[in-house]
mmCIF file of all heavy atoms in Angstrom:
data_model
loop_
_atom_site.group_PDB
_atom_site.id
_atom_site.type_symbol
_atom_site.label_atom_id
_atom_site.label_comp_id
_atom_site.label_asym_id
_atom_site.label_seq_id
_atom_site.Cartn_x
_atom_site.Cartn_y
_atom_site.Cartn_z
ATOM 1 N N GLU A 33 21.248 -7.068 2.093
ATOM 2 C CA GLU A 33 21.515 -6.963 3.531
ATOM 3 C C GLU A 33 20.228 -6.732 4.321
ATOM 4 O O GLU A 33 20.114 -7.156 5.475
ATOM 5 C CB GLU A 33 22.526 -5.846 3.821
ATOM 6 C CG GLU A 33 22.090 -4.449 3.419
ATOM 7 C CD GLU A 33 22.481 -4.060 2.001
ATOM 8 O OE1 GLU A 33 22.590 -4.968 1.143
ATOM 9 O OE2 GLU A 33 22.676 -2.851 1.759
ATOM 10 N N THR A 34 19.251 -6.092 3.698
ATOM 11 C CA THR A 34 17.967 -5.880 4.360
ATOM 12 C C THR A 34 17.195 -7.193 4.451
ATOM 13 O O THR A 34 16.587 -7.507 5.482
ATOM 14 C CB THR A 34 17.144 -4.815 3.619
ATOM 15 O OG1 THR A 34 17.880 -3.588 3.595
ATOM 16 C CG2 THR A 34 15.799 -4.587 4.301
ATOM 17 N N MET A 35 17.218 -7.968 3.367
ATOM 18 C CA MET A 35 16.551 -9.272 3.395
ATOM 19 C C MET A 35 17.190 -10.182 4.442
ATOM 20 O O MET A 35 16.483 -10.905 5.165
ATOM 21 C CB MET A 35 16.624 -9.911 2.015
ATOM 22 C CG MET A 35 15.917 -11.266 1.918
ATOM 23 S SD MET A 35 14.138 -11.208 2.274
ATOM 24 C CE MET A 35 13.535 -10.510 0.723
ATOM 25 N N ALA A 36 18.505 -10.138 4.551
ATOM 26 C CA ALA A 36 19.189 -10.953 5.557
ATOM 27 C C ALA A 36 18.773 -10.533 6.963
ATOM 28 O O ALA A 36 18.558 -11.383 7.848
ATOM 29 C CB ALA A 36 20.706 -10.819 5.398
ATOM 30 N N LEU A 37 18.632 -9.225 7.172
ATOM 31 C CA LEU A 37 18.215 -8.717 8.479
ATOM 32 C C LEU A 37 16.780 -9.144 8.782
ATOM 33 O O LEU A 37 16.440 -9.505 9.922
ATOM 34 C CB LEU A 37 18.332 -7.195 8.488
ATOM 35 C CG LEU A 37 18.509 -6.509 9.845
ATOM 36 C CD1 LEU A 37 19.727 -7.055 10.575
ATOM 37 C CD2 LEU A 37 18.645 -5.001 9.638
ATOM 38 N N MET A 38 15.927 -9.138 7.776
ATOM 39 C CA MET A 38 14.540 -9.563 7.969
ATOM 40 C C MET A 38 14.468 -11.036 8.357
ATOM 41 O O MET A 38 13.659 -11.429 9.205
ATOM 42 C CB MET A 38 13.734 -9.288 6.699
ATOM 43 C CG MET A 38 13.490 -7.795 6.463
ATOM 44 S SD MET A 38 13.017 -7.359 4.757
ATOM 45 C CE MET A 38 11.524 -8.310 4.554
ATOM 46 N N ARG A 39 15.322 -11.858 7.758
ATOM 47 C CA ARG A 39 15.347 -13.277 8.143
ATOM 48 C C ARG A 39 15.773 -13.434 9.593
ATOM 49 O O ARG A 39 15.227 -14.275 10.332
ATOM 50 C CB ARG A 39 16.299 -14.044 7.222
ATOM 51 C CG ARG A 39 15.820 -14.140 5.775
ATOM 52 C CD ARG A 39 16.654 -15.128 4.985
ATOM 53 N NE ARG A 39 16.244 -15.168 3.585
ATOM 54 C CZ ARG A 39 16.889 -14.594 2.583
ATOM 55 N NH1 ARG A 39 18.033 -13.946 2.826
ATOM 56 N NH2 ARG A 39 16.438 -14.673 1.346
ATOM 57 N N THR A 40 16.728 -12.613 10.015
ATOM 58 C CA THR A 40 17.165 -12.640 11.413
ATOM 59 C C THR A 40 16.026 -12.267 12.350
ATOM 60 O O THR A 40 15.838 -12.878 13.409
ATOM 61 C CB THR A 40 18.345 -11.671 11.620
ATOM 62 O OG1 THR A 40 19.440 -12.070 10.794
ATOM 63 C CG2 THR A 40 18.789 -11.655 13.071
ATOM 64 N N MET A 41 15.245 -11.274 11.955
ATOM 65 C CA MET A 41 14.114 -10.845 12.769
ATOM 66 C C MET A 41 13.059 -11.939 12.865
ATOM 67 O O MET A 41 12.468 -12.156 13.930
ATOM 68 C CB MET A 41 13.513 -9.566 12.181
ATOM 69 C CG MET A 41 14.460 -8.380 12.229
ATOM 70 S SD MET A 41 13.893 -6.966 11.232
ATOM 71 C CE MET A 41 12.489 -6.410 12.202
ATOM 72 N N VAL A 42 12.819 -12.637 11.776
ATOM 73 C CA VAL A 42 11.867 -13.753 11.803
ATOM 74 C C VAL A 42 12.369 -14.841 12.742
ATOM 75 O O VAL A 42 11.606 -15.373 13.567
ATOM 76 C CB VAL A 42 11.655 -14.317 10.387
ATOM 77 C CG1 VAL A 42 10.816 -15.596 10.442
ATOM 78 C CG2 VAL A 42 10.974 -13.278 9.488
ATOM 79 N N ASP A 43 13.647 -15.156 12.631
ATOM 80 C CA ASP A 43 14.238 -16.208 13.477
ATOM 81 C C ASP A 43 14.179 -15.849 14.959
ATOM 82 O O ASP A 43 14.137 -16.746 15.813
ATOM 83 C CB ASP A 43 15.687 -16.472 13.066
ATOM 84 C CG ASP A 43 15.795 -17.107 11.684
ATOM 85 O OD1 ASP A 43 14.785 -17.644 11.204
ATOM 86 O OD2 ASP A 43 16.897 -17.047 11.092
ATOM 87 N N SER A 44 14.169 -14.561 15.280
ATOM 88 C CA SER A 44 14.147 -14.132 16.684
ATOM 89 C C SER A 44 12.815 -14.409 17.353
ATOM 90 O O SER A 44 12.705 -14.395 18.585
ATOM 91 C CB SER A 44 14.450 -12.633 16.778
ATOM 92 O OG SER A 44 13.321 -11.859 16.362
ATOM 93 N N GLY A 45 11.761 -14.622 16.548
ATOM 94 C CA GLY A 45 10.441 -14.887 17.098
ATOM 95 C C GLY A 45 9.623 -13.657 17.417
ATOM 96 O O GLY A 45 8.484 -13.758 17.886
ATOM 97 N N GLU A 46 10.162 -12.463 17.130
ATOM 98 C CA GLU A 46 9.445 -11.237 17.507
ATOM 99 C C GLU A 46 8.210 -10.982 16.664
ATOM 100 O O GLU A 46 7.314 -10.246 17.079
ATOM 101 C CB GLU A 46 10.387 -10.020 17.442
ATOM 102 C CG GLU A 46 11.323 -9.902 18.617
ATOM 103 C CD GLU A 46 11.359 -8.484 19.180
ATOM 104 O OE1 GLU A 46 10.615 -7.613 18.687
ATOM 105 O OE2 GLU A 46 12.126 -8.263 20.123
ATOM 106 N N LEU A 47 8.118 -11.572 15.474
ATOM 107 C CA LEU A 47 6.921 -11.339 14.668
ATOM 108 C C LEU A 47 5.675 -11.902 15.346
ATOM 109 O O LEU A 47 4.556 -11.458 15.062
ATOM 110 C CB LEU A 47 7.078 -11.951 13.277
ATOM 111 C CG LEU A 47 7.593 -10.993 12.187
ATOM 112 C CD1 LEU A 47 9.046 -10.615 12.457
ATOM 113 C CD2 LEU A 47 7.449 -11.594 10.811
ATOM 114 N N ALA A 48 5.875 -12.861 16.236
ATOM 115 C CA ALA A 48 4.739 -13.417 16.980
ATOM 116 C C ALA A 48 4.130 -12.382 17.918
ATOM 117 O O ALA A 48 3.001 -12.556 18.390
ATOM 118 C CB ALA A 48 5.184 -14.641 17.772
ATOM 119 N N GLU A 49 4.856 -11.278 18.181
ATOM 120 C CA GLU A 49 4.363 -10.227 19.064
ATOM 121 C C GLU A 49 3.405 -9.272 18.358
ATOM 122 O O GLU A 49 2.742 -8.457 19.002
ATOM 123 C CB GLU A 49 5.547 -9.418 19.627
ATOM 124 C CG GLU A 49 6.592 -10.248 20.348
ATOM 125 C CD GLU A 49 6.080 -10.786 21.675
ATOM 126 O OE1 GLU A 49 5.213 -10.137 22.282
ATOM 127 O OE2 GLU A 49 6.557 -11.860 22.092
ATOM 128 N N LEU A 50 3.334 -9.344 17.037
ATOM 129 C CA LEU A 50 2.479 -8.422 16.293
ATOM 130 C C LEU A 50 1.011 -8.714 16.596
ATOM 131 O O LEU A 50 0.570 -9.858 16.535
ATOM 132 C CB LEU A 50 2.734 -8.553 14.795
ATOM 133 C CG LEU A 50 4.108 -8.092 14.300
ATOM 134 C CD1 LEU A 50 4.269 -8.426 12.825
ATOM 135 C CD2 LEU A 50 4.280 -6.591 14.530
ATOM 136 N N VAL A 51 0.252 -7.670 16.879
ATOM 137 C CA VAL A 51 -1.170 -7.861 17.152
ATOM 138 C C VAL A 51 -1.908 -8.059 15.828
ATOM 139 O O VAL A 51 -1.492 -7.536 14.786
ATOM 140 C CB VAL A 51 -1.760 -6.665 17.926
ATOM 141 C CG1 VAL A 51 -1.089 -6.522 19.277
ATOM 142 C CG2 VAL A 51 -1.650 -5.380 17.131
ATOM 143 N N PRO A 52 -2.999 -8.825 15.825
ATOM 144 C CA PRO A 52 -3.708 -9.128 14.574
ATOM 145 C C PRO A 52 -4.125 -7.899 13.785
ATOM 146 O O PRO A 52 -4.072 -7.890 12.554
ATOM 147 C CB PRO A 52 -4.922 -9.925 15.049
ATOM 148 C CG PRO A 52 -4.514 -10.501 16.368
ATOM 149 C CD PRO A 52 -3.600 -9.501 16.983
ATOM 150 N N GLU A 53 -4.536 -6.848 14.485
ATOM 151 C CA GLU A 53 -5.007 -5.644 13.793
ATOM 152 C C GLU A 53 -3.918 -5.023 12.933
ATOM 153 O O GLU A 53 -4.196 -4.515 11.832
ATOM 154 C CB GLU A 53 -5.517 -4.612 14.810
ATOM 155 C CG GLU A 53 -6.808 -4.999 15.508
ATOM 156 C CD GLU A 53 -6.597 -5.899 16.720
ATOM 157 O OE1 GLU A 53 -5.435 -6.302 16.971
ATOM 158 O OE2 GLU A 53 -7.582 -6.211 17.409
ATOM 159 N N ARG A 54 -2.666 -5.056 13.398
ATOM 160 C CA ARG A 54 -1.585 -4.458 12.621
ATOM 161 C C ARG A 54 -1.225 -5.335 11.429
ATOM 162 O O ARG A 54 -0.893 -4.842 10.343
ATOM 163 C CB ARG A 54 -0.349 -4.223 13.499
ATOM 164 C CG ARG A 54 -0.554 -3.198 14.597
ATOM 165 C CD ARG A 54 -1.126 -1.876 14.077
ATOM 166 N NE ARG A 54 -0.252 -1.225 13.131
ATOM 167 C CZ ARG A 54 0.687 -0.329 13.450
ATOM 168 N NH1 ARG A 54 0.856 0.011 14.718
ATOM 169 N NH2 ARG A 54 1.432 0.232 12.531
ATOM 170 N N VAL A 55 -1.265 -6.653 11.615
ATOM 171 C CA VAL A 55 -1.019 -7.555 10.491
ATOM 172 C C VAL A 55 -2.088 -7.343 9.423
ATOM 173 O O VAL A 55 -1.783 -7.227 8.227
ATOM 174 C CB VAL A 55 -1.000 -9.022 10.950
ATOM 175 C CG1 VAL A 55 -0.860 -9.960 9.752
ATOM 176 C CG2 VAL A 55 0.143 -9.268 11.942
ATOM 177 N N TRP A 56 -3.333 -7.265 9.840
ATOM 178 C CA TRP A 56 -4.432 -7.062 8.896
ATOM 179 C C TRP A 56 -4.300 -5.724 8.182
ATOM 180 O O TRP A 56 -4.538 -5.614 6.974
ATOM 181 C CB TRP A 56 -5.778 -7.152 9.608
ATOM 182 C CG TRP A 56 -6.924 -6.724 8.726
ATOM 183 C CD1 TRP A 56 -7.733 -5.654 8.898
ATOM 184 C CD2 TRP A 56 -7.373 -7.369 7.527
ATOM 185 N NE1 TRP A 56 -8.656 -5.574 7.892
ATOM 186 C CE2 TRP A 56 -8.461 -6.621 7.034
ATOM 187 C CE3 TRP A 56 -6.962 -8.497 6.829
ATOM 188 C CZ2 TRP A 56 -9.142 -6.964 5.863
ATOM 189 C CZ3 TRP A 56 -7.635 -8.848 5.664
ATOM 190 C CH2 TRP A 56 -8.714 -8.095 5.192
ATOM 191 N N GLN A 57 -3.901 -4.697 8.908
ATOM 192 C CA GLN A 57 -3.748 -3.376 8.300
ATOM 193 C C GLN A 57 -2.722 -3.408 7.163
ATOM 194 O O GLN A 57 -2.954 -2.863 6.080
ATOM 195 C CB GLN A 57 -3.340 -2.353 9.362
ATOM 196 C CG GLN A 57 -3.215 -0.936 8.837
ATOM 197 C CD GLN A 57 -2.792 0.033 9.926
ATOM 198 O OE1 GLN A 57 -2.022 -0.299 10.826
ATOM 199 N NE2 GLN A 57 -3.297 1.252 9.855
ATOM 200 N N GLU A 58 -1.576 -4.045 7.415
ATOM 201 C CA GLU A 58 -0.549 -4.124 6.373
ATOM 202 C C GLU A 58 -1.005 -5.014 5.223
ATOM 203 O O GLU A 58 -0.775 -4.698 4.052
ATOM 204 C CB GLU A 58 0.762 -4.656 6.966
ATOM 205 C CG GLU A 58 1.402 -3.751 8.012
ATOM 206 C CD GLU A 58 1.808 -2.393 7.436
ATOM 207 O OE1 GLU A 58 2.262 -2.348 6.273
ATOM 208 O OE2 GLU A 58 1.655 -1.378 8.144
ATOM 209 N N LEU A 59 -1.653 -6.133 5.543
ATOM 210 C CA LEU A 59 -2.136 -7.033 4.498
ATOM 211 C C LEU A 59 -3.182 -6.336 3.634
ATOM 212 O O LEU A 59 -3.145 -6.431 2.392
ATOM 213 C CB LEU A 59 -2.746 -8.285 5.140
ATOM 214 C CG LEU A 59 -3.448 -9.274 4.190
ATOM 215 C CD1 LEU A 59 -2.493 -9.793 3.135
ATOM 216 C CD2 LEU A 59 -4.064 -10.426 4.989
ATOM 217 N N ARG A 60 -4.082 -5.643 4.270
ATOM 218 C CA ARG A 60 -5.155 -4.967 3.528
ATOM 219 C C ARG A 60 -4.582 -3.938 2.565
ATOM 220 O O ARG A 60 -5.021 -3.837 1.412
ATOM 221 C CB ARG A 60 -6.094 -4.310 4.537
ATOM 222 C CG ARG A 60 -7.381 -3.757 3.953
ATOM 223 C CD ARG A 60 -8.292 -3.275 5.075
ATOM 224 N NE ARG A 60 -9.634 -3.038 4.575
ATOM 225 C CZ ARG A 60 -10.683 -2.786 5.355
ATOM 226 N NH1 ARG A 60 -10.532 -2.760 6.678
ATOM 227 N NH2 ARG A 60 -11.874 -2.577 4.832
ATOM 228 N N ARG A 61 -3.610 -3.173 3.022
ATOM 229 C CA ARG A 61 -2.999 -2.156 2.153
ATOM 230 C C ARG A 61 -2.213 -2.802 1.023
ATOM 231 O O ARG A 61 -2.204 -2.292 -0.102
ATOM 232 C CB ARG A 61 -2.111 -1.235 2.988
ATOM 233 C CG ARG A 61 -2.884 -0.415 4.007
ATOM 234 C CD ARG A 61 -1.987 0.377 4.931
ATOM 235 N NE ARG A 61 -1.362 1.497 4.249
ATOM 236 C CZ ARG A 61 -0.548 2.354 4.847
ATOM 237 N NH1 ARG A 61 -0.257 2.197 6.138
ATOM 238 N NH2 ARG A 61 -0.013 3.345 4.179
ATOM 239 N N ALA A 62 -1.582 -3.935 1.295
ATOM 240 C CA ALA A 62 -0.841 -4.636 0.243
ATOM 241 C C ALA A 62 -1.778 -5.172 -0.825
ATOM 242 O O ALA A 62 -1.495 -5.101 -2.033
ATOM 243 C CB ALA A 62 -0.018 -5.775 0.839
ATOM 244 N N LEU A 63 -2.924 -5.719 -0.400
ATOM 245 C CA LEU A 63 -3.884 -6.279 -1.353
ATOM 246 C C LEU A 63 -4.516 -5.201 -2.222
ATOM 247 O O LEU A 63 -4.994 -5.484 -3.322
ATOM 248 C CB LEU A 63 -4.976 -7.043 -0.608
ATOM 249 C CG LEU A 63 -4.521 -8.339 0.072
ATOM 250 C CD1 LEU A 63 -5.631 -8.903 0.954
ATOM 251 C CD2 LEU A 63 -4.065 -9.380 -0.945
ATOM 252 N N ALA A 64 -4.519 -3.969 -1.732
ATOM 253 C CA ALA A 64 -5.046 -2.848 -2.511
ATOM 254 C C ALA A 64 -3.987 -2.211 -3.392
ATOM 255 O O ALA A 64 -4.284 -1.246 -4.109
ATOM 256 C CB ALA A 64 -5.639 -1.800 -1.567
ATOM 257 N N SER A 65 -2.765 -2.748 -3.361
ATOM 258 C CA SER A 65 -1.665 -2.208 -4.160
ATOM 259 C C SER A 65 -1.648 -2.837 -5.547
ATOM 260 O O SER A 65 -2.401 -3.760 -5.848
ATOM 261 C CB SER A 65 -0.332 -2.458 -3.457
ATOM 262 O OG SER A 65 -0.295 -1.820 -2.194
ATOM 263 N N GLU A 66 -0.748 -2.334 -6.372
ATOM 264 C CA GLU A 66 -0.701 -2.784 -7.760
ATOM 265 C C GLU A 66 -0.182 -4.205 -7.896
ATOM 266 O O GLU A 66 -0.609 -4.952 -8.773
ATOM 267 C CB GLU A 66 0.177 -1.833 -8.580
ATOM 268 C CG GLU A 66 0.211 -2.152 -10.064
ATOM 269 C CD GLU A 66 1.010 -1.148 -10.857
ATOM 270 O OE1 GLU A 66 1.403 -0.104 -10.286
ATOM 271 O OE2 GLU A 66 1.257 -1.394 -12.052
ATOM 272 N N ARG A 67 0.748 -4.604 -7.020
ATOM 273 C CA ARG A 67 1.349 -5.929 -7.153
ATOM 274 C C ARG A 67 1.377 -6.655 -5.814
ATOM 275 O O ARG A 67 2.426 -6.765 -5.161
ATOM 276 C CB ARG A 67 2.763 -5.819 -7.731
ATOM 277 C CG ARG A 67 3.344 -7.157 -8.133
ATOM 278 C CD ARG A 67 4.727 -7.020 -8.756
ATOM 279 N NE ARG A 67 4.669 -6.406 -10.068
ATOM 280 C CZ ARG A 67 5.751 -6.188 -10.829
ATOM 281 N NH1 ARG A 67 6.943 -6.521 -10.384
ATOM 282 N NH2 ARG A 67 5.625 -5.626 -12.014
ATOM 283 N N PRO A 68 0.246 -7.202 -5.373
ATOM 284 C CA PRO A 68 0.212 -7.932 -4.102
ATOM 285 C C PRO A 68 1.157 -9.123 -4.079
ATOM 286 O O PRO A 68 1.596 -9.539 -3.000
ATOM 287 C CB PRO A 68 -1.250 -8.390 -3.992
ATOM 288 C CG PRO A 68 -2.013 -7.463 -4.887
ATOM 289 C CD PRO A 68 -1.088 -7.116 -6.008
ATOM 290 N N SER A 69 1.463 -9.691 -5.230
ATOM 291 C CA SER A 69 2.366 -10.843 -5.275
ATOM 292 C C SER A 69 3.716 -10.517 -4.655
ATOM 293 O O SER A 69 4.357 -11.387 -4.050
ATOM 294 C CB SER A 69 2.569 -11.320 -6.714
ATOM 295 O OG SER A 69 3.190 -10.317 -7.503
ATOM 296 N N ALA A 70 4.162 -9.278 -4.812
ATOM 297 C CA ALA A 70 5.453 -8.893 -4.251
ATOM 298 C C ALA A 70 5.421 -8.910 -2.725
ATOM 299 O O ALA A 70 6.436 -9.200 -2.074
ATOM 300 C CB ALA A 70 5.867 -7.512 -4.754
ATOM 301 N N PHE A 71 4.279 -8.600 -2.150
ATOM 302 C CA PHE A 71 4.100 -8.695 -0.700
ATOM 303 C C PHE A 71 4.251 -10.147 -0.260
ATOM 304 O O PHE A 71 5.024 -10.463 0.662
ATOM 305 C CB PHE A 71 2.718 -8.156 -0.336
ATOM 306 C CG PHE A 71 2.352 -8.261 1.120
ATOM 307 C CD1 PHE A 71 2.752 -7.293 2.021
ATOM 308 C CD2 PHE A 71 1.571 -9.314 1.581
ATOM 309 C CE1 PHE A 71 2.396 -7.377 3.366
ATOM 310 C CE2 PHE A 71 1.211 -9.411 2.914
ATOM 311 C CZ PHE A 71 1.617 -8.437 3.809
ATOM 312 N N LEU A 72 3.534 -11.051 -0.923
ATOM 313 C CA LEU A 72 3.591 -12.465 -0.566
ATOM 314 C C LEU A 72 4.980 -13.036 -0.779
ATOM 315 O O LEU A 72 5.510 -13.759 0.068
ATOM 316 C CB LEU A 72 2.569 -13.249 -1.394
ATOM 317 C CG LEU A 72 1.100 -12.852 -1.221
ATOM 318 C CD1 LEU A 72 0.233 -13.638 -2.196
ATOM 319 C CD2 LEU A 72 0.638 -13.071 0.211
ATOM 320 N N ARG A 73 5.590 -12.721 -1.917
ATOM 321 C CA ARG A 73 6.902 -13.287 -2.249
ATOM 322 C C ARG A 73 7.965 -12.791 -1.277
ATOM 323 O O ARG A 73 8.822 -13.569 -0.839
ATOM 324 C CB ARG A 73 7.253 -12.911 -3.683
ATOM 325 C CG ARG A 73 8.646 -13.359 -4.117
ATOM 326 C CD ARG A 73 8.828 -14.852 -4.067
ATOM 327 N NE ARG A 73 7.898 -15.570 -4.926
ATOM 328 C CZ ARG A 73 7.971 -16.885 -5.130
ATOM 329 N NH1 ARG A 73 8.887 -17.617 -4.518
ATOM 330 N NH2 ARG A 73 7.094 -17.475 -5.928
#
C-alpha cells in the first residue's frame, strides 16, 4: 500500500517540486549505505 501511494505521488507531479539540494542529500546518503541498489530499485 505504501508503494502504491508512492506511485500516486509520482503521478501527481509533486516530485518536480523537490529542490536539487534535497535530492542530492538523499542520494548521497543512499550511496553511502550498505545497499544502494535498493534505493535505485
